[in-house]
Amino acid sequence: MAEPSEARTGPTGSDTGAPRDRGEKLTARGDERKALILDTALRLFERDGYEKTTMRAIAREAGVSVGNAYYYFDSKDHLIQAFYDEVSDHHIVRALTSMRPHRDLGARLAADLHAWIDVAEPYRAFATQFVKNAVDPNSPLSPFSPESKPTRDKVIEVHRRVVLGSNAKIDPEIAESLPDLLWMHHMGIVLFWVYDRSPDARRTRELVDRTAPMVARVIRLSRFKMVRPLFREADKLIRDFLLPGDEPADRG
Amino acid sequence: MAEPSEARTGPTGSDTGAPRDRGEKLTARGDERKALILDTALRLFERDGYEKTTMRAIAREAGVSVGNAYYYFDSKDHLIQAFYDEVSDHHIVRALTSMRPHRDLGARLAADLHAWIDVAEPYRAFATQFVKNAVDPNSPLSPFSPESKPTRDKVIEVHRRVVLGSNAKIDPEIAESLPDLLWMHHMGIVLFWVYDRSPDARRTRELVDRTAPMVARVIRLSRFKMVRPLFREADKLIRDFLLPGDEPADRG
DNA sequence: CCTCCGAGTTGAACGCGTTCAACTTCTACT
DNA sequence: AGTAGAAGTTGAACGCGTTCAACTCGGAGG
């Protein structure tokens, strides 16, 4: 399989299964190195923004070669995935703590979302890029991508706790997919936050304070017979369309 | 792409006074040239997708130099703006026609959305890129950008007609912001459509058929006293947060 | 005729993300 | 110790979007 290096003709791609950084074996030193590169990248992203930070700058600052950065991360985007993981982890801890004193569903939800804003705020400068990539179905950063599933599941689990720890009485039939609904509400808030230019995301916080009680009120409505069919159908819809359930295999 | 290059100057009429991209003087020959480049670009986007189509390929295919393409369009993204305008214009015509026979709000909404899918379907291959850019607040492609306002207003106007032509009885207080709500529903459908991999967007159409009646049902609910406060608050929320209201910016 | 000027046009060049063949270092096993 | 092979590392090179100094062209004024 010897191809002349200068004639780079033909379709190179379509081999989508790049097993570069996946669960491959990394030595202890490799783990260190990977962390070093990631930390450097996030620091530069925070300081200069995502687009203005070059892979060459990251490599130089971390004291490695460009190629080496690519040995640990498949792409520049993958570095953002790591950022998202980090934010998510911090969010989980903070959210569970801050919602603990509350029993009211709206209050718990608001605490949850405020916790997210607290954690994510330092990175707002380059969060745009995250959302931009998240919206691309082919990106590993897509919320529906296999790569994102573990993180996403963890976040949804938080929303489950929001519901479970509350004193709200909820139609058990819709209770199960409620966390996913709340997750979507969360995503909406995130989208607003990305656009938000007010200092300290004050406007997003205001939005949270006003939507959280509303969401709680809507959920409380589900007990009434008049609207129950509507809720059932909405629930079914969400299950059918938004939750992939079990997609057998993508590349195997 | 049924319209020949001649149609380029006609239908928009709204120059928006945007001095953004070469709003400078263009000779007759310049207009032709610009249209030629645009048509070539859209054709290649449709054939090969957005990312795989290079500016060099567009230039070569159109018989001009790369630099010349940049003389008429500030960036590759700006070519997509043109695509969005075109889709919107066709959608408006088709939607108004196809919803005319219906009086039921759900049916009218479904007709509207199906019309959009019909028009946009050929471009699904590179629609991802549009959404990706649309989500960037700094992009001229953002739905909230001044550049997009004329197009967006036209689309929202269609949604106003959806409501006005129906026999639904709606709390007048919420009726006014209803078009914007429907527009957001539309955006949600678009987002799903971008992810949709089913042939002919069948799954998105299914989603439309199921959500449109639901939306209509929710709107019908607004008459009931029990939920009216909730609707009022939701309405106020939308006004306060999602509609910029009075931006004293363009074209006095 | 020539000159001037600005719209139109060019392609080499820049900086970017990414790839790759070749190289070095470490680990495991004989 | 020796050695195979995996893990780690390198920088030049590729193709991309974009920029820019220099060019051509056409018509208005002398």
Side-chain angles (χ1 to χ4, degrees), chain B:
Chain B
M1 222 127 325
E3 303 294 324
S5 48
E6 192 186 5
R8 201 81 275 288
T9 39
T12 57
S14 50
D15 206 356
T16 336
R20 182 96 338 207
D21 78 329
R22 296 282 170 273
E24 331 249 322
K25 18 221 151 183
L26 283 188
T27 63
R29 181 178 151 77
D31 263 342
E32 259 177 51
R33 205 81 160 170
K34 183 172 180 175
L36 167 67
I37 293 167
L38 178 58
D39 288 349
T40 305
L42 292 186
R43 197 179 76 239
L44 294 188
F45 287 164
E46 194 174 339
R47 196 188 69 188
D48 303 328
Y50 178 78
E51 309 217 305
K52 282 180 186 161
T53 303
T54 70
M55 290 300 284
R56 285 168 179 83
I58 294 169
R60 198 188 321 120
E61 192 80 3
V64 303
S65 68
V66 239
N68 195 227
Y70 278 92
Y71 181 76
Y72 291 107
F73 298 93
D74 280 351
S75 74
K76 196 180 172 189
D77 286 352
H78 277 74
L79 288 164
I80 295 203
Q81 171 116 27
F83 139 77
Y84 181 58
D85 289 347
E86 199 164 299
V87 165
S88 293
D89 282 346
H90 291 172
H91 165 232
I92 289 169
V93 175
R94 198 180 188 116
L96 291 179
T97 305
S98 70
M99 72 171 76
R100 209 195 311 278
H102 304 286
R103 288 283 81 79
D104 176 68
L105 183 56
R108 287 175 70 80
L109 183 56
D112 172 23
L113 295 171
H114 279 298
W116 190 87
I117 297 172
D118 290 339
V119 168
E121 186 57 19
Y123 308 101
R124 189 144 54 117
F126 68 93
T128 294
Q129 196 61 35
F130 168 70
V131 176
K132 247 173 115 165
N133 289 334
V135 97
D136 183 348
N138 303 317
S139 166
L141 288 156
S142 158
F144 298 108
S145 78
E147 286 96 333
S148 294
K149 191 168 189 304
T151 300
R152 178 171 126 251
D153 284 350
K154 275 192 283 183
V155 175
I156 292 180
E157 176 60 24
V158 174
H159 290 299
R160 179 165 282 114
R161 302 277 197 96
V162 169
V163 178
L164 288 181
S166 82
N167 55 15
K169 288 173 175 42
I170 297 155
D171 179 356
E173 278 199 48
I174 73 154
E176 201 173 334
S177 46
L178 203 49
D180 298 285
L181 247 187
L182 294 182
W183 179 70
M184 286 185 59
H185 175 238
H186 181 139
M187 288 290 135
I189 298 290
V190 170
L191 199 59
F192 185 89
W193 174 79
V194 165
Y195 277 92
D196 188 1
R197 289 284 176 266
S198 65
D200 196 34
R202 207 170 303 162
R203 223 166 142 60
T204 304
R205 291 178 188 281
E206 206 184 323
L207 182 64
V208 166
D209 288 336
R210 284 176 66 177
T211 55
M214 275 187 59
V215 170
R217 231 202 292 183
V218 169
I219 291 171
R220 236 173 267 125
L221 267 182
S222 68
R223 287 181 305 160
F224 290 92
K225 280 196 280 295
M226 191 181 63
V227 295
R228 206 176 275 181
L230 185 62
F231 273 78
R232 294 268 164 87
E233 174 145 357
D235 179 58
K236 194 163 174 301
L237 190 76
I238 290 162
R239 269 176 224 255
D240 288 353
F241 282 87
L242 297 181
L243 311 179
D246 45 284
E247 205 107 52
D250 40 344
R251 105 206 218 106

Side-chain angles (χ1 to χ4, degrees), chain A residues 145-190:
Chain A
S145 76
E147 286 94 334
S148 292
K149 191 167 191 307
T151 300
R152 179 171 125 249
D153 285 350
K154 274 192 286 183
V155 175
I156 292 181
E157 175 60 24
V158 174
H159 291 299
R160 178 165 282 117
R161 301 277 197 97
V162 169
V163 178
L164 287 181
S166 82
N167 55 15
K169 288 174 176 39
I170 297 155
D171 179 356
E173 277 198 50
I174 73 156
E176 201 173 334
S177 46
L178 202 49
D180 298 283
L181 247 186
L182 294 182
W183 179 70
M184 286 185 60
H185 174 239
H186 181 140
M187 287 291 133
I189 298 290
V190 169

Side-chain angles (χ1 to χ4, degrees), chain A residues 229-245:
Chain A
L230 186 63
F231 274 78
R232 294 268 164 87
E233 176 146 355
D235 179 58
K236 195 163 172 301
L237 191 75
I238 290 161
R239 269 177 225 254
D240 287 354
F241 283 87
L242 296 181
L243 311 180

Side-chain angles (χ1 to χ4, degrees), chain A residues 24-228:
Chain A
E24 297 284 308
K25 18 223 150 184
L26 282 188
T27 62
R29 181 178 151 78
D31 265 340
E32 258 176 50
R33 204 83 157 170
K34 183 172 180 175
L36 168 66
I37 293 167
L38 178 58
D39 288 349
T40 305
L42 293 186
R43 198 178 74 238
L44 295 187
F45 287 163
E46 195 172 338
R47 195 187 68 189
D48 304 327
Y50 178 79
E51 309 217 307
K52 283 180 187 161
T53 303
T54 69
M55 290 301 283
R56 285 168 178 83
I58 294 168
R60 198 188 321 118
E61 192 81 4
V64 303
S65 68
V66 237
N68 195 228
Y70 278 92
Y71 181 78
Y72 291 107
F73 298 93
D74 280 351
S75 73
K76 196 181 173 189
D77 287 351
H78 277 75
L79 288 163
I80 295 203
Q81 169 116 25
F83 139 76
Y84 182 58
D85 289 347
E86 198 163 300
V87 165
S88 293
D89 282 346
H90 291 171
H91 165 232
I92 289 169
V93 175
R94 201 179 185 116
L96 292 179
T97 304
S98 70
M99 73 171 76
R100 208 194 313 278
H102 303 286
R103 288 283 80 79
D104 176 68
L105 183 57
R108 286 175 71 80
L109 183 56
D112 171 22
L113 295 171
H114 278 298
W116 189 87
I117 296 172
D118 289 340
V119 169
E121 187 57 20
Y123 307 100
R124 189 144 54 118
F126 68 94
T128 294
Q129 197 60 35
F130 167 70
V131 176
K132 246 173 118 166
N133 290 333
V135 97
D136 183 349
N138 303 319
S139 167
L141 288 156
S142 158
F144 299 108
S145 76
E147 286 94 334
S148 292
K149 191 167 191 307
T151 300
R152 179 171 125 249
D153 285 350
K154 274 192 286 183
V155 175
I156 292 181
E157 175 60 24
V158 174
H159 291 299
R160 178 165 282 117
R161 301 277 197 97
V162 169
V163 178
L164 287 181
S166 82
N167 55 15
K169 288 174 176 39
I170 297 155
D171 179 356
E173 277 198 50
I174 73 156
E176 201 173 334
S177 46
L178 202 49
D180 298 283
L181 247 186
L182 294 182
W183 179 70
M184 286 185 60
H185 174 239
H186 181 140
M187 287 291 133
I189 298 290
V190 169
L191 198 59
F192 186 90
W193 174 80
V194 165
Y195 277 91
D196 188 1
R197 288 286 178 263
S198 65
D200 197 33
R202 207 170 305 164
R203 222 166 143 61
T204 305
R205 290 178 188 280
E206 207 184 321
L207 182 64
V208 165
D209 289 336
R210 284 176 65 179
T211 55
M214 276 187 58
V215 170
R217 236 205 287 184
V218 169
I219 291 171
R220 235 172 268 125
L221 268 182
S222 68
R223 286 181 305 159
F224 290 92
K225 278 196 279 298
M226 190 183 63
V227 293
R228 206 176 275 182

